[in-house]
Amino acid sequence: MARRARGMTVLSYLISLTALCIALGYVDAVATFYVRGMLQVSQEGGGFAQAVTEAMPPRIIALEQTRQASILLALVAVAVVAGRNLHQQFGTALFGLGGWIIFRYAAIRTITDWPTSLTDVDTVLYLPEAVYAPLWMPIVIALGLSAVGVTLVRAGALALKRK
């Protein structure tokens, strides 16, 4: 009798993880849209550049920090639960982080018509302090994280096959 493989294929695993990244990116983009509206920042252009972030009340900055920390915690929790070994767990976390960033900006673009180019500057991170950069930087980093994540997930699957 042939032994049946356990679990998902790497491709179906990554597709499922991509769906999670799309959902998290969209929810994050909607939250960004609401914060921009609350702060009366133009919804049809303009990122959270330094002047906008510095004018934000400390409570809003704290909420932005905890929102980002919550998304990171969710990605780590999914990675720990879904990965079957350390390679897969770490790869899942990296792939999820990269995917979340990419789909966040794709969703913001869909909702607000911003960014107009990859050279637009945004507050790309609030943890532990605000970090400003042109959008091409987090996108390139996210693509790199996703690529390393795929490599680690595949390496973890190969290690499981060898056992």
Side-chain angles (χ1 to χ4, degrees), residues 31-160:
T32 299
F33 179 80
Y34 287 140
V35 169
R36 287 179 179 186
M38 182 179 59
L39 296 174
Q40 298 175 348
V41 175
S42 172
Q43 298 287 13
E44 300 306 322
F48 271 168
Q50 190 167 355
V52 174
T53 301
E54 288 174 354
M56 290 169 63
R59 181 174 179 166
I60 301 298
I61 292 174
L63 289 172
E64 285 294 297
Q65 289 172 326
T66 56
R67 176 184 54 78
Q68 283 187 349
S70 296
I71 291 173
L72 292 173
L73 179 62
L75 289 170
V76 168
V78 165
V80 169
V81 170
R84 293 178 57 198
N85 57 28
L86 193 57
H87 280 102
Q88 283 188 338
Q89 290 170 335
F90 194 57
T92 298
L94 292 179
F95 183 85
L97 178 60
W100 161 54
I101 292 167
I102 292 165
F103 288 112
R104 175 185 189 271
Y105 282 114
I108 288 172
R109 171 73 179 142
T110 302
I111 294 169
T112 68
D113 284 338
W114 182 88
T116 55
S117 81
L118 292 176
T119 59
D120 288 348
V121 175
D122 191 27
T123 306
V124 295
L125 192 64
Y126 285 95
L127 293 172
E129 296 292 325
V131 176
Y132 312 96
L135 292 181
W136 66 264
M137 289 177 75
I139 298 293
V140 168
I141 291 168
L143 289 169
L145 289 172
S146 295
V148 170
V150 168
T151 302
L152 288 171
V153 167
R154 291 185 70 213
L158 290 173
L160 289 170

Side-chain angles (χ1 to χ4, degrees), residues 19-38:
L20 174 68
C21 293
I22 291 169
L24 285 175
Y26 180 76
V27 168
D28 195 17
V30 170
T32 299
F33 179 80
Y34 287 140
V35 169
R36 287 179 179 186
M38 182 179 59

